[in-house]
Amino acid sequence: MELKEKLIASFMAFEEQVDVNADLHDIRTSAFKNFEAKGFPTKKDEAWKYTSLNALLKNDFSVFPKHENTIEFADVKKYFLHEIDTYKVVFIDGVFSSFLSSTTHDGVDVCLMSSALNKPKYKMIIDEYFNKIANKDESLTSLNTAFASEGAYINIPKSKVTDKPVEIMYFSTGSEAALMLQPRNLIIVGENSHVQIIERHQSLNDNAVLTNSVTEIFAQKRAIVDYYKIQNDNHFASLIDNTYVSQQQESHVHVNTFSFGGNLTRNNLNFYHKGERIESHLNGITIIGEKQHVDHYTLVHHAQPNCESFQDYKGIFSDNSTGVFNGKIYVEKEAQKTNAFQKSNNILLSDKATINAKPQLEIFADDVKCSHGCTIGQLDDTAMFYMQSRGIPKKEAKALLMYAFSNAVIESIKIPELKQRITKLIATKLGVKIGFDL
């Protein structure tokens, strides 16, 4: 049975098991009808021109895990930011793990989507925020909405600075030969509040995993959100990440994406400006090899005046790997005094590595500063020769040049312990020995 047919058969069974109110039932049904009509995206779709899901969808994915699994903290400790204290929301094969988690309702709400979707006390919040900025025409987002039941729910009240970062961790145990997961995250950051969030999806063995994730982030007036996505999974795990960000007046949102592993990774990142004097920062580092594939698809929709957005993506590709960057800046005619900058810089370390880059600007205002730039090249032979002439071995010289190439994005990390980890992780990807594995 093809995956689409299996999902159609599974949807009715899923609806029978979930106790939902009529409004949520209608949302699910409408979303699934959209997915059923459109199916999985193909290369005929302009937004997926350089990324094919055909080989991935040949796997016989289980839509639901057959039984609950447990893992020991010692087995996964290295994946957490254990150098500092954090709130933890942990899922194993899509099921919440209270043993590994550390949630709270004390001043901030860090808990579960299942609670928010099913408990009456959350109904007003769900009615106001759930599925409000997610693209209802995008088929994979619709598929996630149809099956949405579990994930992280984070609600930071007005004028609250969280005392520690939040880690959202999704582990897959490989107890199924192939498993499809569809986590749903809802993050609301109140007026004048600040939160730091780290998200990671990690497979623990070599069985195939496909994760179709959707995250909605609402940043209220003067809110600050620092979001870090660490993507360093094994070669049999694939991730389709759909993140939607709504920003109100004077809010600052930073999303940093570190793509170092996995079979196929697709990051859809969409920012929507709902007020003036907003800042949006989209940064990314991709370092992949073999036949890995990473696709960044970004949109910043400037709809209000006096706002700024900055996109900075670095890519290093070796062997037969493929990178895709499609960045779009859309400026409405009302969005005067917009400053929007986008750049994608890429290094190919192999003749067989490929990068497809497509920067886009659609500007309907006349008093703006907008620019985009894209570079694709190889390491500077002159710089390599200079460093080797100063006694630096070729391998280390090469790694130093690539690290310097990535450094601007590394410097944007605001959690010192995370910056140290990412630095060491990059060193490992570049072939420089470090003291521990990540």
Side-chain angles (χ1 to χ4, degrees), residues 387-430:
M387 295 177 75
Q388 288 180 265
S389 70
R390 295 301 185 270
I392 301 174
K394 183 176 181 180
K395 182 179 178 180
E396 283 71 16
K398 183 177 178 181
L400 283 171
L401 286 176
M402 290 188 289
Y403 180 81
F405 171 76
S406 307
N407 191 58
V409 176
I410 297 171
E411 289 302 312
S412 67
I413 302 173
K414 298 179 181 178
I415 304 173
E417 295 81 4
L418 181 61
K419 180 185 287 188
Q420 182 183 38
R421 284 217 165 192
I422 294 296
T423 299
K424 292 184 177 181
L425 183 52
I426 290 173
T428 301
K429 297 296 293 185
L430 299 179

Side-chain angles (χ1 to χ4, degrees), residues 237-386:
S238 297
L239 171 66
I240 300 169
D241 184 279
N242 306 280
T243 299
Y244 300 92
V245 182
S246 174
Q247 292 186 246
Q248 297 294 337
Q249 176 182 331
E250 298 180 48
S251 61
H252 290 197
V253 177
H254 297 69
V255 176
N256 296 270
T257 306
F258 305 100
S259 303
F260 302 138
N263 174 29
L264 181 149
T265 303
R266 164 79 176 213
N267 291 302
N268 298 317
L269 185 53
N270 306 272
F271 279 69
Y272 302 98
H273 288 186
K274 307 291 186 179
E276 295 191 37
R277 296 180 293 281
I278 287 170
E279 280 192 26
S280 302
H281 296 259
L282 299 74
N283 300 315
I285 300 176
T286 301
I287 306 176
I288 55 173
E290 300 184 18
K291 294 184 178 180
Q292 294 174 304
H293 183 107
V294 172
D295 182 346
H296 295 290
Y297 193 95
T298 70
L299 165 68
V300 181
H301 189 153
H302 287 268
Q304 299 291 333
N306 302 303
C307 294
E308 297 182 315
S309 67
F310 306 90
Q311 300 183 54
D312 188 4
Y313 283 82
K314 310 287 189 182
I316 300 173
F317 305 92
S318 60
D319 304 322
N320 292 283
S321 62
T322 302
V324 181
F325 176 78
N326 192 127
K328 184 175 182 179
I329 298 171
Y330 190 95
V331 183
E332 301 272 13
K333 64 180 180 180
E334 296 84 4
Q336 304 292 343
K337 304 293 184 182
T338 289
N339 290 336
F341 305 96
Q342 176 195 101
K343 62 180 178 179
S344 170
N345 303 120
N346 305 278
I347 293 176
L348 300 181
L349 300 178
S350 164
D351 291 339
K352 295 182 179 179
T354 304
I355 175 70
N356 300 284
K358 184 184 176 185
Q360 293 177 270
L361 298 179
E362 292 190 33
I363 303 170
F364 299 95
D366 52 17
D367 186 8
V368 300
K369 292 181 180 179
C370 295
S371 67
H372 63 74
C374 175
T375 61
I376 301 172
Q378 297 176 321
L379 289 175
D380 188 339
D381 289 337
T382 302
M384 284 287 293
F385 175 79
Y386 176 83

Side-chain angles (χ1 to χ4, degrees), residues 9-256:
S10 300
F11 179 67
M12 293 183 64
F14 172 75
E15 277 283 74
E16 291 175 359
Q17 296 173 4
V18 180
D19 181 18
V20 297
N21 58 46
D23 293 340
L24 190 53
H25 173 79
D26 292 343
I27 292 172
R28 292 187 195 279
T29 302
S30 176
F32 194 77
K33 285 180 179 178
N34 182 60
F35 170 75
E36 192 174 3
K38 294 186 175 181
F40 288 97
T42 69
K43 295 181 78 170
K44 293 181 180 179
D45 300 306
E46 183 63 27
W48 290 79
K49 183 177 180 180
Y50 302 109
T51 299
S52 173
L53 299 178
N54 290 343
L56 182 62
L57 298 180
K58 290 178 181 178
N59 289 289
D60 186 19
F61 289 107
S62 297
V63 179
F64 308 110
K66 293 183 176 63
H67 54 273
E68 290 190 18
N69 295 284
T70 59
I71 52 180
E72 296 296 325
F73 179 71
D75 297 328
V76 295
K77 178 180 178 181
K78 65 182 181 180
Y79 300 117
F80 291 96
L81 193 65
H82 53 76
E83 295 89 349
I84 58 174
D85 191 21
T86 62
Y87 297 115
K88 298 176 180 64
V89 191
V90 183
F91 303 89
I92 302 173
D93 292 337
V95 178
F96 175 66
S97 170
S98 58
F99 173 69
L100 295 177
S101 299
S102 173
T103 59
T104 181
H105 295 278
D106 183 19
V108 299
D109 222 349
V110 178
C111 61
L112 308 180
M113 273 299 294
S114 56
S115 297
L117 291 174
N118 296 313
K119 291 185 177 180
K121 72 174 185 176
Y122 292 104
K123 186 179 186 306
M124 289 182 61
I125 296 174
I126 293 300
D127 289 346
E128 182 175 357
Y129 294 106
F130 180 75
N131 205 43
K132 290 300 186 289
I133 52 172
N135 187 343
K136 297 175 181 59
D137 293 325
E138 208 281 319
S139 64
L140 291 176
T141 297
S142 295
L143 176 62
N144 178 284
T145 300
F147 284 93
S149 62
E150 195 58 286
Y153 170 82
I154 300 172
N155 190 350
I156 312 299
K158 181 178 179 180
S159 302
K160 178 69 176 181
V161 178
T162 55
D163 56 346
K164 51 189 176 182
V166 181
E167 291 187 277
I168 307 172
M169 306 290 285
Y170 292 96
F171 294 109
S172 55
T173 63
S175 59
E176 310 284 340
L179 179 64
M180 184 175 189
L181 298 170
Q182 302 204 69
R184 182 67 171 239
N185 304 315
L186 177 60
I187 299 164
I188 305 159
V189 185
E191 186 175 326
N192 297 314
S193 295
H194 181 195
V195 67
Q196 297 174 318
I197 300 172
I198 303 163
E199 177 188 319
R200 184 164 186 164
H201 301 261
Q202 187 67 47
S203 186
L204 301 178
N205 76 359
D206 289 342
N207 285 354
V209 177
L210 170 59
T211 301
N212 177 39
S213 174
V214 172
T215 300
E216 293 180 285
I217 302 172
F218 294 85
Q220 308 295 9
K221 291 181 180 180
R222 295 176 294 280
I224 301 174
V225 182
D226 297 320
Y227 207 103
Y228 303 94
K229 297 175 179 286
I230 302 175
Q231 301 167 346
N232 188 35
D233 219 332
N234 66 40
H235 288 358
F236 299 92
S238 297
L239 171 66
I240 300 169
D241 184 279
N242 306 280
T243 299
Y244 300 92
V245 182
S246 174
Q247 292 186 246
Q248 297 294 337
Q249 176 182 331
E250 298 180 48
S251 61
H252 290 197
V253 177
H254 297 69
V255 176
N256 296 270

